[in-house]
PDB file of all heavy atoms in Angstrom:
ATOM      1  N   THR E 122      87.619  99.362  72.071  1.00 89.00           N
ATOM      2  CA  THR E 122      88.619  98.669  71.317  1.00 89.00           C
ATOM      3  C   THR E 122      89.850  98.343  72.126  1.00 89.00           C
ATOM      4  O   THR E 122      90.369  99.227  72.953  1.00 89.00           O
ATOM      5  CB  THR E 122      89.049  99.405  70.022  1.00 89.00           C
ATOM      6  OG1 THR E 122      90.026  98.705  69.345  1.00 89.00           O
ATOM      7  CG2 THR E 122      89.626 100.803  70.341  1.00 89.00           C
ATOM      8  N   LEU E 123      90.332  97.168  72.093  1.00 90.00           N
ATOM      9  CA  LEU E 123      91.512  96.674  72.816  1.00 90.00           C
ATOM     10  C   LEU E 123      92.794  97.186  72.206  1.00 90.00           C
ATOM     11  O   LEU E 123      93.880  97.106  72.821  1.00 90.00           O
ATOM     12  CB  LEU E 123      91.517  95.153  72.916  1.00 90.00           C
ATOM     13  CG  LEU E 123      90.493  94.524  73.830  1.00 90.00           C
ATOM     14  CD1 LEU E 123      90.633  92.970  73.685  1.00 90.00           C
ATOM     15  CD2 LEU E 123      90.637  94.940  75.160  1.00 90.00           C
ATOM     16  N   ASP E 124      92.741  97.789  71.058  1.00 89.00           N
ATOM     17  CA  ASP E 124      94.002  98.120  70.315  1.00 89.00           C
ATOM     18  C   ASP E 124      94.973  98.974  71.119  1.00 89.00           C
ATOM     19  O   ASP E 124      96.127  98.909  70.992  1.00 89.00           O
ATOM     20  CB  ASP E 124      93.656  98.923  69.081  1.00 89.00           C
ATOM     21  CG  ASP E 124      92.940  98.185  68.035  1.00 89.00           C
ATOM     22  OD1 ASP E 124      92.263  97.142  68.352  1.00 89.00           O
ATOM     23  OD2 ASP E 124      93.034  98.466  66.874  1.00 89.00           O
ATOM     24  N   TYR E 125      94.369  99.851  71.938  1.00 92.00           N
ATOM     25  CA  TYR E 125      95.229 100.847  72.679  1.00 92.00           C
ATOM     26  C   TYR E 125      95.784 100.243  74.009  1.00 92.00           C
ATOM     27  O   TYR E 125      96.474 100.986  74.723  1.00 92.00           O
ATOM     28  CB  TYR E 125      94.393 102.042  72.925  1.00 92.00           C
ATOM     29  CG  TYR E 125      93.813 102.663  71.656  1.00 92.00           C
ATOM     30  CD1 TYR E 125      92.412 102.809  71.527  1.00 92.00           C
ATOM     31  CD2 TYR E 125      94.599 103.076  70.672  1.00 92.00           C
ATOM     32  CE1 TYR E 125      91.915 103.293  70.390  1.00 92.00           C
ATOM     33  CE2 TYR E 125      94.076 103.607  69.491  1.00 92.00           C
ATOM     34  CZ  TYR E 125      92.738 103.671  69.388  1.00 92.00           C
ATOM     35  OH  TYR E 125      92.211 104.246  68.242  1.00 92.00           O
ATOM     36  N   TYR E 126      95.408  99.017  74.329  1.00 95.00           N
ATOM     37  CA  TYR E 126      95.780  98.548  75.661  1.00 95.00           C
ATOM     38  C   TYR E 126      96.685  97.290  75.609  1.00 95.00           C
ATOM     39  O   TYR E 126      96.501  96.467  74.714  1.00 95.00           O
ATOM     40  CB  TYR E 126      94.455  98.141  76.431  1.00 95.00           C
ATOM     41  CG  TYR E 126      93.548  99.309  76.654  1.00 95.00           C
ATOM     42  CD1 TYR E 126      92.585  99.645  75.725  1.00 95.00           C
ATOM     43  CD2 TYR E 126      93.689 100.089  77.809  1.00 95.00           C
ATOM     44  CE1 TYR E 126      91.764 100.723  75.919  1.00 95.00           C
ATOM     45  CE2 TYR E 126      92.817 101.163  78.082  1.00 95.00           C
ATOM     46  CZ  TYR E 126      91.881 101.498  77.063  1.00 95.00           C
ATOM     47  OH  TYR E 126      91.056 102.490  77.308  1.00 95.00           O
ATOM     48  N   ALA E 127      97.628  97.279  76.473  1.00 97.00           N
ATOM     49  CA  ALA E 127      98.275  96.016  76.753  1.00 97.00           C
ATOM     50  C   ALA E 127      97.271  95.133  77.554  1.00 97.00           C
ATOM     51  O   ALA E 127      96.404  95.638  78.324  1.00 97.00           O
ATOM     52  CB  ALA E 127      99.519  96.303  77.556  1.00 97.00           C
ATOM     53  N   ILE E 128      97.375  93.849  77.407  1.00 97.00           N
ATOM     54  CA  ILE E 128      96.497  92.938  78.079  1.00 97.00           C
ATOM     55  C   ILE E 128      97.308  91.892  78.872  1.00 97.00           C
ATOM     56  O   ILE E 128      98.317  91.373  78.325  1.00 97.00           O
ATOM     57  CB  ILE E 128      95.566  92.232  77.090  1.00 97.00           C
ATOM     58  CG1 ILE E 128      94.690  93.272  76.353  1.00 97.00           C
ATOM     59  CG2 ILE E 128      94.627  91.223  77.805  1.00 97.00           C
ATOM     60  CD1 ILE E 128      93.729  94.027  77.181  1.00 97.00           C
ATOM     61  N   GLY E 129      96.889  91.678  80.030  1.00 98.00           N
ATOM     62  CA  GLY E 129      97.571  90.666  80.866  1.00 98.00           C
ATOM     63  C   GLY E 129      96.571  89.574  81.244  1.00 98.00           C
ATOM     64  O   GLY E 129      95.468  89.804  81.488  1.00 98.00           O
ATOM     65  N   TRP E 130      97.159  88.354  81.366  1.00 98.00           N
ATOM     66  CA  TRP E 130      96.398  87.245  81.926  1.00 98.00           C
ATOM     67  C   TRP E 130      96.976  86.981  83.285  1.00 98.00           C
ATOM     68  O   TRP E 130      98.180  86.804  83.484  1.00 98.00           O
ATOM     69  CB  TRP E 130      96.430  86.008  81.078  1.00 98.00           C
ATOM     70  CG  TRP E 130      95.643  86.004  79.815  1.00 98.00           C
ATOM     71  CD1 TRP E 130      95.954  86.287  78.552  1.00 98.00           C
ATOM     72  CD2 TRP E 130      94.246  85.724  79.765  1.00 98.00           C
ATOM     73  NE1 TRP E 130      94.895  86.231  77.757  1.00 98.00           N
ATOM     74  CE2 TRP E 130      93.830  85.849  78.423  1.00 98.00           C
ATOM     75  CE3 TRP E 130      93.307  85.350  80.739  1.00 98.00           C
ATOM     76  CZ2 TRP E 130      92.506  85.670  78.038  1.00 98.00           C
ATOM     77  CZ3 TRP E 130      91.999  85.091  80.303  1.00 98.00           C
ATOM     78  CH2 TRP E 130      91.570  85.276  79.017  1.00 98.00           C
ATOM     79  N   PHE E 131      96.102  86.876  84.261  1.00 98.00           N
ATOM     80  CA  PHE E 131      96.525  86.619  85.636  1.00 98.00           C
ATOM     81  C   PHE E 131      95.676  85.452  86.088  1.00 98.00           C
ATOM     82  O   PHE E 131      94.617  85.111  85.549  1.00 98.00           O
ATOM     83  CB  PHE E 131      96.174  87.828  86.515  1.00 98.00           C
ATOM     84  CG  PHE E 131      96.946  89.059  86.114  1.00 98.00           C
ATOM     85  CD1 PHE E 131      96.546  89.852  85.092  1.00 98.00           C
ATOM     86  CD2 PHE E 131      98.100  89.399  86.839  1.00 98.00           C
ATOM     87  CE1 PHE E 131      97.271  90.963  84.694  1.00 98.00           C
ATOM     88  CE2 PHE E 131      98.781  90.552  86.459  1.00 98.00           C
ATOM     89  CZ  PHE E 131      98.322  91.331  85.427  1.00 98.00           C
ATOM     90  N   ARG E 132      96.158  84.768  87.189  1.00 98.00           N
ATOM     91  CA  ARG E 132      95.415  83.636  87.689  1.00 98.00           C
ATOM     92  C   ARG E 132      95.564  83.746  89.183  1.00 98.00           C
ATOM     93  O   ARG E 132      96.487  84.241  89.846  1.00 98.00           O
ATOM     94  CB  ARG E 132      95.895  82.315  87.217  1.00 98.00           C
ATOM     95  CG  ARG E 132      97.271  81.925  87.622  1.00 98.00           C
ATOM     96  CD  ARG E 132      97.715  80.633  86.924  1.00 98.00           C
ATOM     97  NE  ARG E 132      99.085  80.215  87.279  1.00 98.00           N
ATOM     98  CZ  ARG E 132      99.701  79.144  86.707  1.00 98.00           C
ATOM     99  NH1 ARG E 132      99.097  78.511  85.755  1.00 98.00           N
ATOM    100  NH2 ARG E 132     100.920  78.859  87.106  1.00 98.00           N
ATOM    101  N   GLN E 133      94.531  83.208  89.856  1.00 98.00           N
ATOM    102  CA  GLN E 133      94.541  83.051  91.342  1.00 98.00           C
ATOM    103  C   GLN E 133      93.756  81.755  91.792  1.00 98.00           C
ATOM    104  O   GLN E 133      92.675  81.590  91.427  1.00 98.00           O
ATOM    105  CB  GLN E 133      93.786  84.295  91.986  1.00 98.00           C
ATOM    106  CG  GLN E 133      93.987  84.344  93.479  1.00 98.00           C
ATOM    107  CD  GLN E 133      93.692  85.725  94.036  1.00 98.00           C
ATOM    108  OE1 GLN E 133      92.923  86.503  93.468  1.00 98.00           O
ATOM    109  NE2 GLN E 133      94.223  85.929  95.223  1.00 98.00           N
ATOM    110  N   ALA E 134      94.530  80.981  92.422  1.00 96.00           N
ATOM    111  CA  ALA E 134      93.970  79.733  93.004  1.00 96.00           C
ATOM    112  C   ALA E 134      93.597  80.017  94.469  1.00 96.00           C
ATOM    113  O   ALA E 134      94.145  80.949  95.126  1.00 96.00           O
ATOM    114  CB  ALA E 134      95.043  78.656  92.938  1.00 96.00           C
ATOM    115  N   PRO E 135      92.692  79.269  95.044  1.00 94.00           N
ATOM    116  CA  PRO E 135      92.233  79.419  96.424  1.00 94.00           C
ATOM    117  C   PRO E 135      93.443  79.433  97.357  1.00 94.00           C
ATOM    118  O   PRO E 135      94.284  78.527  97.295  1.00 94.00           O
ATOM    119  CB  PRO E 135      91.256  78.291  96.596  1.00 94.00           C
ATOM    120  CG  PRO E 135      90.804  77.910  95.322  1.00 94.00           C
ATOM    121  CD  PRO E 135      91.987  78.168  94.364  1.00 94.00           C
ATOM    122  N   GLY E 136      93.454  80.406  98.238  1.00 95.00           N
ATOM    123  CA  GLY E 136      94.601  80.540  99.232  1.00 95.00           C
ATOM    124  C   GLY E 136      95.921  80.942  98.661  1.00 95.00           C
ATOM    125  O   GLY E 136      96.888  80.976  99.382  1.00 95.00           O
ATOM    126  N   GLU E 137      95.973  81.242  97.342  1.00 95.00           N
ATOM    127  CA  GLU E 137      97.188  81.653  96.747  1.00 95.00           C
ATOM    128  C   GLU E 137      97.185  83.063  96.369  1.00 95.00           C
ATOM    129  O   GLU E 137      96.095  83.696  96.201  1.00 95.00           O
ATOM    130  CB  GLU E 137      97.522  80.777  95.478  1.00 95.00           C
ATOM    131  CG  GLU E 137      97.556  79.280  95.703  1.00 95.00           C
ATOM    132  CD  GLU E 137      98.881  78.902  96.473  1.00 95.00           C
ATOM    133  OE1 GLU E 137      99.907  79.618  96.260  1.00 95.00           O
ATOM    134  OE2 GLU E 137      98.862  77.880  97.113  1.00 95.00           O
ATOM    135  N   GLU E 138      98.344  83.699  96.158  1.00 96.00           N
ATOM    136  CA  GLU E 138      98.373  85.091  95.715  1.00 96.00           C
ATOM    137  C   GLU E 138      98.093  85.054  94.203  1.00 96.00           C
ATOM    138  O   GLU E 138      98.382  84.095  93.510  1.00 96.00           O
ATOM    139  CB  GLU E 138      99.718  85.722  95.974  1.00 96.00           C
ATOM    140  CG  GLU E 138     100.049  85.816  97.493  1.00 96.00           C
ATOM    141  CD  GLU E 138     100.893  86.993  97.783  1.00 96.00           C
ATOM    142  OE1 GLU E 138     101.533  87.546  96.843  1.00 96.00           O
ATOM    143  OE2 GLU E 138     101.059  87.278  98.933  1.00 96.00           O
ATOM    144  N   ARG E 139      97.637  86.139  93.663  1.00 96.00           N
ATOM    145  CA  ARG E 139      97.459  86.315  92.271  1.00 96.00           C
ATOM    146  C   ARG E 139      98.802  86.305  91.553  1.00 96.00           C
ATOM    147  O   ARG E 139      99.751  86.914  92.038  1.00 96.00           O
ATOM    148  CB  ARG E 139      96.739  87.601  91.957  1.00 96.00           C
ATOM    149  CG  ARG E 139      96.400  87.851  90.465  1.00 96.00           C
ATOM    150  CD  ARG E 139      95.582  89.177  90.366  1.00 96.00           C
ATOM    151  NE  ARG E 139      96.313  90.296  90.984  1.00 96.00           N
ATOM    152  CZ  ARG E 139      95.706  91.424  91.408  1.00 96.00           C
ATOM    153  NH1 ARG E 139      94.403  91.545  91.341  1.00 96.00           N
ATOM    154  NH2 ARG E 139      96.421  92.371  91.899  1.00 96.00           N
ATOM    155  N   GLU E 140      98.823  85.711  90.425  1.00 97.00           N
ATOM    156  CA  GLU E 140     100.061  85.497  89.633  1.00 97.00           C
ATOM    157  C   GLU E 140      99.791  86.080  88.228  1.00 97.00           C
ATOM    158  O   GLU E 140      98.837  85.746  87.566  1.00 97.00           O
ATOM    159  CB  GLU E 140     100.533  84.092  89.538  1.00 97.00           C
ATOM    160  CG  GLU E 140     101.775  83.881  88.684  1.00 97.00           C
ATOM    161  CD  GLU E 140     102.022  82.368  88.528  1.00 97.00           C
ATOM    162  OE1 GLU E 140     101.175  81.513  88.682  1.00 97.00           O
ATOM    163  OE2 GLU E 140     103.186  82.082  88.091  1.00 97.00           O
ATOM    164  N   GLY E 141     100.743  86.933  87.778  1.00 98.00           N
ATOM    165  CA  GLY E 141     100.683  87.353  86.390  1.00 98.00           C
ATOM    166  C   GLY E 141     101.236  86.266  85.505  1.00 98.00           C
ATOM    167  O   GLY E 141     102.397  85.898  85.704  1.00 98.00           O
ATOM    168  N   VAL E 142     100.487  85.713  84.638  1.00 98.00           N
ATOM    169  CA  VAL E 142     100.793  84.525  83.860  1.00 98.00           C
ATOM    170  C   VAL E 142     101.487  85.027  82.572  1.00 98.00           C
ATOM    171  O   VAL E 142     102.580  84.476  82.209  1.00 98.00           O
ATOM    172  CB  VAL E 142      99.550  83.774  83.510  1.00 98.00           C
ATOM    173  CG1 VAL E 142      99.868  82.642  82.584  1.00 98.00           C
ATOM    174  CG2 VAL E 142      98.928  83.163  84.828  1.00 98.00           C
ATOM    175  N   SER E 143     100.823  85.876  81.823  1.00 98.00           N
ATOM    176  CA  SER E 143     101.367  86.347  80.581  1.00 98.00           C
ATOM    177  C   SER E 143     100.762  87.720  80.154  1.00 98.00           C
ATOM    178  O   SER E 143      99.634  87.934  80.483  1.00 98.00           O
ATOM    179  CB  SER E 143     101.043  85.320  79.423  1.00 98.00           C
ATOM    180  OG  SER E 143     101.699  85.734  78.225  1.00 98.00           O
ATOM    181  N   CYS E 144     101.611  88.537  79.527  1.00 98.00           N
ATOM    182  CA  CYS E 144     101.109  89.846  79.162  1.00 98.00           C
ATOM    183  C   CYS E 144     101.583  90.118  77.752  1.00 98.00           C
ATOM    184  O   CYS E 144     102.633  89.667  77.285  1.00 98.00           O
ATOM    185  CB  CYS E 144     101.595  90.888  80.172  1.00 98.00           C
ATOM    186  SG  CYS E 144     100.941  90.752  81.811  1.00 98.00           S
ATOM    187  N   ILE E 145     100.839  90.949  77.080  1.00 98.00           N
ATOM    188  CA  ILE E 145     101.122  91.296  75.643  1.00 98.00           C
ATOM    189  C   ILE E 145     100.870  92.799  75.483  1.00 98.00           C
ATOM    190  O   ILE E 145      99.924  93.394  75.943  1.00 98.00           O
ATOM    191  CB  ILE E 145     100.284  90.459  74.717  1.00 98.00           C
ATOM    192  CG1 ILE E 145     100.759  90.609  73.189  1.00 98.00           C
ATOM    193  CG2 ILE E 145      98.793  90.711  74.825  1.00 98.00           C
ATOM    194  CD1 ILE E 145     100.156  89.597  72.310  1.00 98.00           C
ATOM    195  N   SER E 146     101.813  93.399  74.698  1.00 97.00           N
ATOM    196  CA  SER E 146     101.653  94.851  74.485  1.00 97.00           C
ATOM    197  C   SER E 146     100.501  95.116  73.546  1.00 97.00           C
ATOM    198  O   SER E 146      99.949  94.215  72.899  1.00 97.00           O
ATOM    199  CB  SER E 146     103.019  95.370  73.907  1.00 97.00           C
ATOM    200  OG  SER E 146     103.289  94.735  72.672  1.00 97.00           O
ATOM    201  N   SER E 147     100.177  96.353  73.353  1.00 95.00           N
ATOM    202  CA  SER E 147      99.046  96.710  72.525  1.00 95.00           C
ATOM    203  C   SER E 147      99.256  96.326  71.044  1.00 95.00           C
ATOM    204  O   SER E 147      98.345  95.960  70.364  1.00 95.00           O
ATOM    205  CB  SER E 147      98.764  98.282  72.633  1.00 95.00           C
ATOM    206  OG  SER E 147      99.928  98.987  72.281  1.00 95.00           O
ATOM    207  N   SER E 148     100.489  96.404  70.587  1.00 93.00           N
ATOM    208  CA  SER E 148     100.804  96.030  69.230  1.00 93.00           C
ATOM    209  C   SER E 148     101.001  94.505  69.044  1.00 93.00           C
ATOM    210  O   SER E 148     100.935  93.960  67.960  1.00 93.00           O
ATOM    211  CB  SER E 148     102.062  96.753  68.713  1.00 93.00           C
ATOM    212  OG  SER E 148     103.158  96.235  69.429  1.00 93.00           O
ATOM    213  N   GLY E 149     101.178  93.852  70.196  1.00 94.00           N
ATOM    214  CA  GLY E 149     101.535  92.383  70.078  1.00 94.00           C
ATOM    215  C   GLY E 149     102.987  92.191  69.930  1.00 94.00           C
ATOM    216  O   GLY E 149     103.422  90.982  69.954  1.00 94.00           O
ATOM    217  N   GLY E 150     103.800  93.159  69.886  1.00 96.00           N
ATOM    218  CA  GLY E 150     105.223  93.045  69.626  1.00 96.00           C
ATOM    219  C   GLY E 150     106.008  92.627  70.811  1.00 96.00           C
ATOM    220  O   GLY E 150     107.179  92.107  70.683  1.00 96.00           O
TER     221      GLY E 150
END
């Protein structure tokens, strides 16, 4: 279950460093 985890979205384009796009806490708050 994802309930206990914060979740992040990251992206990486060729030749680029990974970027943290958006993150959300476990509660969504």
Side-chain angles (χ1 to χ4, degrees):
T122 178
L123 289 176
D124 293 25
Y125 304 118
Y126 298 90
I128 300 295
W130 282 100
F131 298 80
R132 66 185 180 187
Q133 189 164 23
E137 301 286 333
E138 297 209 350
R139 183 177 56 204
E140 178 187 18
V142 174
S143 183
C144 294
I145 189 167
S146 62
S147 57
S148 68

